[in-house]
């Protein structure tokens, strides 16, 4: 556990990519194999489900420390992280027990899945007594599933590749898919020649960067494909040996959630992998993303859901055909093959993402203005000679999104951030006017400079009206321009409206709160897209 804690602290204390990669590489060179597989599971989102509730950690920490609940809550509000708060409050460990490995800790935690609350309490309080302060912090973070330290899966893959002397693309493929750290060993996963050939295993996704500079910087317009950028669930549909699998970009196997697509199992050739976007689709156009959300997270997809939120796979790439990996073929060749695959399948739930015809960049600029009318977020621009790469790479795939919709709104609630921002109020709730009342409609935390964050933080501390746990009601004076990608009706929100990807575009110091936008303004934006 000490070795993994040291790694966590090294990663948490630097923002430099090379230093993070070196820390990871050193860990995967030095740690025991049985610990490496758990570290890889943690960094790739495969940690076993927690058997503890946050309320239990809170209660048992109070009992062990003997501090009053009000002091714990005040400390938590100041620190901004429950795992760290508990680690700071617990007495320093005086244990002389032998160091337990990461593997031993995780296997002990898994065995608690059917244990009573009393057994869980005994285990946890003993663990807190045995571990050092920093180890308790990391241990708690693992228990609560909040081990976020600015390390992407791409960095971990790169570090593992350097440690074992393998191409990162090979490592990335081998860690994709469904594997269990309780069963598979690090050697089997990383070094086995057959580990990348599992029947259901997807390919690593290729991701685009937002376009930089001007379109002319990309060269000749005829060297590029342009297609609509859809707002759905990025997925790979796999048919191998007469079995069908659907993977989301988050590496979740979602086959059972989309039964409409199962008919493709008999209409696609064996050894076919299609990359595309799952969308709710009706009347020959995409439905809003919040309709798709009604299906996400549901264990059972009812007939009512199937009727109200039917899905299609909007296909825009083919990665494998006839069992052959096509990723090194050009975009142009893959597109031609994809067109034939979709035509041959002949089913309405498999749609070909249409290309946007153009002969010049000005043609695309003109068409780009109609993105929202098509139910799209903008364009994907792909070099015709591009191969299908791994992860987010610049050069061959670009996304060109429409400018965000926006309104001016008033800050009404604030909460402290997490991690390095745990001492500052950085998470805000914004409202618009409905007659003489302010109605909250969005939460946002991104878009301000460090200096602006400090300025807003000072205002919040000096103008707090009420406290509700970690949340403060703020004197309604500050106005911000809030941007968002889309707007929908919502019965779940008091405003009757939900916005997609809200963020702060500007701190409107020039505008008083009385001149902020109204709920009618939001409704008019909604009406324009219905």
């Amino acid at each position: 556990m000490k070795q993994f804690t040291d790694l966590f602290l090294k990663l948490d204390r630097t923002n430099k990519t090379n230093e993070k990669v070196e820390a990871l590489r050193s860990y995967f060179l030095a740690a025991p194999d049985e610990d490496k597989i758990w570290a890889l599971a943690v960094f790739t989102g495969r940690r076993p489900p927690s058997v503890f509730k946050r309320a239990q950690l809170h209660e048992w920490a109070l009992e062990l420390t003997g501090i009053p609940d009000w002091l714990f809550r005040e400390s938590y509000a100041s620190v901004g992280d429950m795992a760290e708060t508990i680690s700071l409050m617990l007495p320093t460990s005086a244990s002389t027990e032998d160091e337990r490995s990461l593997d031993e800790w995780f296997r002990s935690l898994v065995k608690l899945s059917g244990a009573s609350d009393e057994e869980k309490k005994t285990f946890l309080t003993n663990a807190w007594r045995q571990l050092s302060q920093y180890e308790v912090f990391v241990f708690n973070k693992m228990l609560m599933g909040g081990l976020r330290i600015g390390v992407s899966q791409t960095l971990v893959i790169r570090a593992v590749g350097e440690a074992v002397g393998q191409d990162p693309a090979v490592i990335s493929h081998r860690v994709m898919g469904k594997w269990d750290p309780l069963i598979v060993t690090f050697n089997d996963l990383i070094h086995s020649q057959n580990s990348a050939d599992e029947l259901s295993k997807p390919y690593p996704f290729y991701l685009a960067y937002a376009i930089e500079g001007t379109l002319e910087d990309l060269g000749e317009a005829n060297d590029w494909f342009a297609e609509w950028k859809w707002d759905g669930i990025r997925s790979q549909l796999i048919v191998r040996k007469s079995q069908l699998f659907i993977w989301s970009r988050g590496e979740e196997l979602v086959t059972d959630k989309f039964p409409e697509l199962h008919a493709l199992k008999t209409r696609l050739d064996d050894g076919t992998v299609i990359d595309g976007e799952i969308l709710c689709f009706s009347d020959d156009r995409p439905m809003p993303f919040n309709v798709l959300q009604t299906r996400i997270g549901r264990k059972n997809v009812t007939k009512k859901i199937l009727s109200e939120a039917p899905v299609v796979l909007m296909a825009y790439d083919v990665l494998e055909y006839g069992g052959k990996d096509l990723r090194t073929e050009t975009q142009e060749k893959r597109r031609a093959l994809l067109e034939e695959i979709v035509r041959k399948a002949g089913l309405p739930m498999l749609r070909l993402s249409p290309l946007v015809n153009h002969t010049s960049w000005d043609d695309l600029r003109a068409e780009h203005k109609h993105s929202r009318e098509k139910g799209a977020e903008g364009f994907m621009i792909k070099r015709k000679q591009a191969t299908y790469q791994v992860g987010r790479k610049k050069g061959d795939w670009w996304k060109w999104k429409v400018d965000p919709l926006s309104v001016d709104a008033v800050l009404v609630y604030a909460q402290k951030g997490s991690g390095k921002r745990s001492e500052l109020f950085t998470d805000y709730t914004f409202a618009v006017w409905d007659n003489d009342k302010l109605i909250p409609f969005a939460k946002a935390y991104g878009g301000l400079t460090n200096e602006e964050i400090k300025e807003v933080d000072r205002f919040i501390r000096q103008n707090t009206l009420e406290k509700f746990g970690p949340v403060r009601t703020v004197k309604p004076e500050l106005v911000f321009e809030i941007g968002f990608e889309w707007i929908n009706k919502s019965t779940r929100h008091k405003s009757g409206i939900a916005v997609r990807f809200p963020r702060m575009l500007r701190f409107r110091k020039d505008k008083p709160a009385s001149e902020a936008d109204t709920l009618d303004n939001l409704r008019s934006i909604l009406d324009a897209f219905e």
Side-chain angles (χ1 to χ4, degrees):
M1 186 66 184
K2 183 179 184 302
Q3 204 169 11
F4 184 75
T5 299
D6 289 343
L7 170 63
F8 178 91
L9 296 175
K10 288 177 182 177
L11 295 173
D12 192 46
R13 289 168 178 168
T14 181
N15 290 321
K16 296 181 179 178
T17 297
N18 288 340
E19 289 181 5
K20 290 187 176 184
V21 171
E22 177 56 29
L24 287 161
R25 187 187 73 86
S26 298
Y27 177 86
F28 283 108
L29 280 171
D33 274 9
E34 57 268 25
D35 282 3
K36 291 177 187 176
I37 193 66
W38 285 107
L40 194 57
V42 168
F43 289 128
T44 58
R46 292 172 177 80
R47 180 188 61 82
S50 177
V51 297
F52 295 96
K53 299 176 182 177
R54 293 175 67 89
Q56 290 176 323
L57 272 68
H58 180 174
E59 177 186 345
W60 298 337
L62 291 182
E63 290 183 22
L64 195 60
T65 60
I67 69 169
D69 183 60
W70 69 265
L71 180 56
F72 181 92
R73 292 184 182 278
E74 286 290 326
S75 301
Y76 175 35
S78 177
V79 174
D81 183 284
M82 182 177 284
E84 186 175 3
T85 302
I86 292 173
S87 71
L88 293 170
M89 288 186 162
L90 290 173
T92 304
S93 171
S95 172
T96 58
E97 292 185 34
D98 292 335
E99 163 76 9
R100 295 180 69 183
S101 67
L102 192 64
D103 176 63
E104 289 173 319
W105 279 114
F106 268 116
R107 289 183 182 276
S108 297
L109 287 168
V110 170
K111 289 177 182 177
L112 287 173
S113 59
S116 66
D117 286 351
E118 194 58 38
E119 289 172 322
K120 292 177 184 178
K121 177 182 177 182
T122 299
F123 171 85
L124 186 59
T125 52
N126 284 339
W128 283 343
R129 290 188 180 100
Q130 179 180 338
L131 297 168
S132 69
Q133 183 184 92
Y134 286 128
E135 288 172 335
V136 168
F137 173 44
V138 175
F139 185 69
N140 289 346
K141 297 288 278 185
M142 291 193 301
L143 293 182
M144 295 185 230
L147 206 64
R148 300 182 182 90
I149 44 178
V151 175
S152 67
Q153 183 164 316
T154 301
L155 287 190
V156 177
I157 296 303
R158 174 180 156 189
V160 172
E162 291 183 10
V164 302
Q166 292 266 21
D167 188 321
V170 174
I171 300 298
S172 185
H173 198 179
R174 290 181 178 177
V175 302
M176 287 284 282
K178 194 173 184 178
W179 51 271
D180 187 346
L182 282 167
I183 300 171
V184 71
T185 67
F186 185 80
N187 185 67
D188 287 341
L189 182 68
I190 300 301
H191 295 290
S192 172
Q193 294 300 308
N194 296 319
S195 65
D197 300 326
E198 296 172 16
L199 199 60
S200 69
K201 183 163 285 190
Y203 292 95
F205 286 85
Y206 184 16
L207 307 175
Y209 270 94
I211 197 164
E212 301 172 342
T214 67
L215 292 173
E216 282 74 16
D217 293 336
L218 300 180
E220 293 296 324
N222 288 329
D223 292 338
W224 297 80
F225 285 130
E227 53 189 291
W228 300 106
K229 184 182 186 305
W230 307 107
D231 184 17
I233 299 175
R234 178 81 178 276
S235 304
Q236 285 181 34
L237 186 143
I238 299 167
V239 175
R240 295 188 183 119
K241 294 188 177 180
S242 300
Q243 296 186 57
L244 180 141
F245 310 92
I246 304 172
W247 288 92
S248 72
R249 197 187 91 184
E251 296 184 33
E252 181 185 1
L253 190 62
V254 294
T255 312
D256 294 340
K257 295 183 184 297
F258 304 107
E260 303 98 316
L261 304 180
H262 292 188
L264 292 168
K265 180 170 64 175
T266 60
R267 302 298 285 268
L268 295 175
D269 293 338
D270 267 346
T272 298
V273 178
I274 292 176
D275 183 5
E277 202 88 11
I278 293 177
L279 304 167
C280 283
F281 217 81
S282 179
D283 297 327
D284 209 36
R285 64 173 283 121
M287 301 171 76
F289 185 81
N290 69 324
V291 178
L292 185 57
Q293 283 182 310
T294 63
R295 299 185 59 155
I296 299 171
R298 285 181 177 268
K299 292 183 179 179
N300 299 312
V301 183
T302 64
K303 289 183 179 180
K304 184 173 184 288
I305 289 292
L306 290 173
S307 173
E308 294 178 348
V311 300
V312 301
L313 178 67
M314 188 69 75
Y316 47 72
D317 218 323
V318 55
L319 312 185
E320 180 182 318
Y321 188 68
K324 180 184 177 183
D325 183 348
L326 301 178
R327 292 177 297 165
T328 57
E329 299 287 350
T330 66
Q331 189 82 46
E332 197 165 33
K333 288 183 179 179
R334 297 197 312 275
R335 173 73 192 196
L337 177 58
L338 179 65
E339 291 175 356
E340 177 61 21
I341 290 170
V342 174
R343 185 199 63 76
K344 183 179 174 183
L347 290 176
M349 72 284 297
L350 179 64
R351 290 174 171 260
L352 181 68
S353 183
L355 296 178
V356 181
N357 293 325
H358 66 281
T359 58
S360 69
W361 293 123
D362 284 339
D363 290 344
L364 282 186
R365 287 190 181 94
E367 194 65 28
H368 189 258
K369 297 174 183 177
H370 302 292
S371 296
R372 286 198 173 95
E373 297 170 22
K374 302 282 187 180
E377 295 181 304
F379 287 156
M380 291 293 300
I381 301 177
K382 302 175 181 178
R383 193 187 302 274
K384 292 179 180 179
Q385 296 304 305
T387 59
Y388 190 97
Q389 301 180 55
V390 174
R392 199 178 299 278
K393 298 288 172 59
K394 289 186 177 181
D396 290 334
W397 275 25
W398 299 96
K399 55 185 178 182
W400 179 23
K401 299 178 73 171
V402 292
D403 292 333
L405 303 165
S406 69
V407 293
D408 291 331
V410 182
L411 173 66
V412 289
Y413 303 122
Q415 187 172 346
K416 286 185 178 179
S418 58
K420 292 183 172 73
R421 291 184 169 184
S422 62
E423 292 299 317
L424 296 169
F425 286 95
T426 60
D427 298 4
Y428 313 132
T429 299
F430 297 95
V432 290
W433 291 103
D434 184 20
N435 295 318
D436 60 347
K437 293 182 179 179
L438 282 166
I439 305 297
F441 80 100
K443 293 183 178 181
Y445 56 86
L448 299 184
T449 67
N450 289 334
E451 287 305 312
E452 287 174 330
I453 288 173
K454 291 176 183 178
E455 182 178 349
V456 175
D457 179 78
R458 284 193 297 271
F459 175 86
I460 292 167
R461 293 175 188 276
Q462 295 168 6
N463 293 275
T464 295
L465 301 177
E466 294 178 288
K467 294 182 182 180
F468 299 97
V471 178
R472 296 192 179 192
T473 302
V474 180
K475 191 174 180 180
E477 290 186 0
L478 302 188
V479 177
F480 297 80
E481 182 181 2
I482 306 301
F484 46 92
E485 299 299 319
W486 202 257
I487 184 168
N488 302 113
K489 289 181 180 178
S490 173
T491 57
R492 298 172 51 214
H493 298 80
K494 185 177 180 181
S495 63
I497 284 172
V499 295
R500 184 115 163 98
F501 297 134
R503 69 269 194 193
M504 289 169 280
L505 300 179
R506 275 194 300 164
F507 185 178
R508 295 298 308 268
K509 299 180 185 180
D510 59 320
K511 179 172 277 194
S514 60
E515 294 181 11
D517 281 304
T518 66
L519 193 54
D520 283 341
N521 295 136
L522 280 171
R523 289 172 181 148
S524 66
I525 296 173
L526 177 62
D527 291 342
F529 294 102
E530 287 199 322

